[in-house]
Amino acid sequence: MIIVGNGHVVTRDSRNPYVPDGAVAIDGTKICGIGRTADLRKRFPEASFIDAKDGVIMPAFINTHEHIYSAMARGLHIEGYAPKGFLDILDGLWWNMDRHLTNDLTYLSAMATYVECIKSGVTTIFDHHASFGEIKDSLFAIGQAAQEMGVRSCLCYEVSDRDGADKARQAVLENEAWIRHAQQDTTDMLAGMMGMHAQFTLSDETMNLAAEHKPDGVGYHIHVAEGIEDLHDCLKKHGKRIVDRLYDWKILGPKTLLGHCIYVNAHEMDLIKETDTMVVHNPESNMGNACGCPPTMEMVHRGILTGLGTDGYTHDMIESYKVANILHKHHLCDATAAWAEVPQMLFENNAVIANRYFKAPLGVLKEGAAADVIVLDYTAPTPMNEENIDGHILFGMTGRNVVTTIANGKVLMKDRELTTVDENALMAKIREGAAVLAGRINGYL
C-alpha cells in the first residue's frame, strides 16, 4: 500500500472536493481512502508514505488527442521545406516524417512521448498514429512502450489513401489487429479504436473497408474539418458537409472521437450532439497551423461531450488549458468566455471520454477509482480551496510543477526521478534514432 499525503488534496469529487492537510491511500491499482493525513496513516500503518511536502495532490491528467509519431520533429530541419499553407505543412513535414518511420523509430518516439507525459502528470492518452514507412505491428511497438512506461493508452492508426490503396488496407488491418489484442487485455491499461486520417484522404472504398474490419465495441478516431480545405474537398467530391458524410457512413456515435471540428456548422453540431459523438479541441495546434478557431464554446454549451487534447504540440495539459482559455476570449472578444468551459473539458469531459474505453473511474480521487495520482510542488501565495483551485492551476502551475506521478497504483516518477527507466540512457537512444530519421528524410542516410 501507498499513502500520498501531507498535501492539499483536490479530488474532482463533488461530494468531497478538497481536503487540506490531506492524503490519498492506494491499495494495488485502486484508491482505497481519502482523508486527513494523520487519519489515513493511522488507518493504514503498514503503508509506505510519499510526502507531498505541502504541495497539491490531484488526479493525473488525461490527453484525449496525442500524436506519438511526431516526437522526433523537435528541432528537425527538412531541406527545401517552405510551406505556404496547411496542406503543405501536412505533406512537407508530418507525412514526410511518417513515411520514414520504422517500428524501431516508432517505439523510440513512444518512449520519448511517455517520458514527457509522465513528467507532466499525464497518465492516460488517446493516440492517433501514422508511420507509413512501416505499418504492420506499429501499434504493437507503441503498446510495448506503453506497458514498459506504465501509461494508459488508447491507440489507433490513421487510415489514409494518401500513399495508395495497399497501404490504406494495411492500416485498416493494423487497427483491427490492435483492437482485438487490446480487447483481450485484462489490465485496463490498453484500448484501441479504428483510426482515420481525415475524410479528404479517404475514398468510399476505404471507408467501407474500415467499417468491414472494425471490431464491435469500438468507434473511430478521426480529424474533422481541421482545415478549410477538408470542407471544400467534401463539398466538391461528395456534395455534402464533412459530418454529414461521416453520419452516412455510420461513423458517428458515443465511441467515436472527432478531432478539431473547426469548420462545422449548427446542423453538423446537431448531428454530433444527437449521436452522442465525442469531440476533442487542440488549441495550440490549431493556432500553430493557422487553421482557425473552432466553435468550441458553442459545442460545450450545446452539451456536446468536448474534451481537451494537444495534437502532439505539447504533452503538458496545463499548457493546453492556458492557451484554450485565452484563445476563446480573444476569438470571441469576450473576456468572460472559457472560464468554466475549458476546465470542464479538461477535468470533467476528458474523464468521461476516457471512461468510454477504460473501466476504472478516471480523473477523480475517490474510493474505487483508478490510482492515477500526481503531486505538484505548488505553494499558494493566496488562499486556496475547492472554489478557486482552477484559478491557481491556470495562473500558478505548469506541467513542470509535477514532482510525483502514479498510474494504476505504480509510481512512475518520484521527486522528479523516473522509476521505470534510466532516463539519460533512454534519451541518448532517442537522440540517435532522431538523427537517423532526419538523415532518411533529408536523403543522406
Side-chain angles (χ1 to χ4, degrees), residues 116-134:
E116 298 254 357
C117 287
I118 292 167
K119 293 171 94 171
S120 299
V122 176
T123 61
T124 299
I125 69 165
F126 282 65
D127 189 66
H128 198 272
H129 178 63
S131 58
F132 282 86
E134 188 169 9

Side-chain angles (χ1 to χ4, degrees), residues 175-222:
N175 276 317
E176 181 182 24
W178 172 258
I179 292 166
R180 296 195 186 282
H181 170 76
Q183 286 178 331
Q184 299 303 311
D185 177 69
T186 60
T187 66
D188 199 32
M189 294 293 286
L190 299 175
M193 305 175 77
M194 179 60 71
M196 291 179 150
H197 170 245
Q199 77 77 35
F200 77 93
T201 67
L202 291 163
S203 65
D204 284 349
E205 292 77 14
T206 299
M207 289 278 207
N208 186 62
L209 185 68
E212 289 178 343
H213 286 271
K214 183 184 71 66
D216 292 338
V218 305
Y220 297 83
H221 191 166
I222 179 171

Side-chain angles (χ1 to χ4, degrees), residues 120 122 284 310 314-321 398-400:
S120 299
V122 176
E284 288 181 290
T310 66
T314 181
H315 311 293
D316 181 349
M317 295 307 299
I318 301 179
E319 181 179 314
S320 193
Y321 176 12
T398 72
R400 295 184 183 275

Side-chain angles (χ1 to χ4, degrees), residues 221-240:
H221 191 166
I222 179 171
H223 301 112
V224 173
E226 182 177 3
I228 191 66
E229 300 88 349
D230 192 9
L231 174 58
H232 291 167
D233 175 272
C234 200
L235 291 169
K236 181 178 180 180
K237 291 180 180 176
H238 306 285
K240 63 186 74 172

Side-chain angles (χ1 to χ4, degrees), residues 152-167:
R152 186 178 288 98
S153 301
C154 183
L155 308 178
C156 71
Y157 191 100
E158 66 170 48
V159 176
S160 173
D161 290 318
R162 63 181 181 256
D163 282 353
D166 181 61
K167 288 196 173 183

Side-chain angles (χ1 to χ4, degrees), residues 61-66 122 124-126 308-310 314 317 350:
F61 291 108
I62 299 162
N63 187 344
T64 47
H65 190 68
E66 260 281 17
V122 176
T124 299
I125 69 165
F126 282 65
L308 189 65
T310 66
T314 181
M317 295 307 299
N350 274 7

Side-chain angles (χ1 to χ4, degrees), residues 19-74:
V19 185
D21 188 21
V24 178
I26 297 169
D27 186 8
T29 63
K30 302 288 174 55
I31 293 170
C32 63
I34 303 288
R36 297 279 182 169
T37 300
D39 294 339
L40 285 187
R41 296 196 76 175
K42 184 177 180 179
R43 180 179 166 191
F44 303 110
E46 75 284 5
S48 60
F49 185 70
I50 294 177
D51 189 353
K53 301 174 183 176
D54 203 37
V56 174
I57 303 168
M58 57 190 279
F61 291 108
I62 299 162
N63 187 344
T64 47
H65 190 68
E66 260 281 17
H67 278 304
I68 279 171
Y69 82 87
S70 68
M72 294 179 178
R74 191 177 301 176

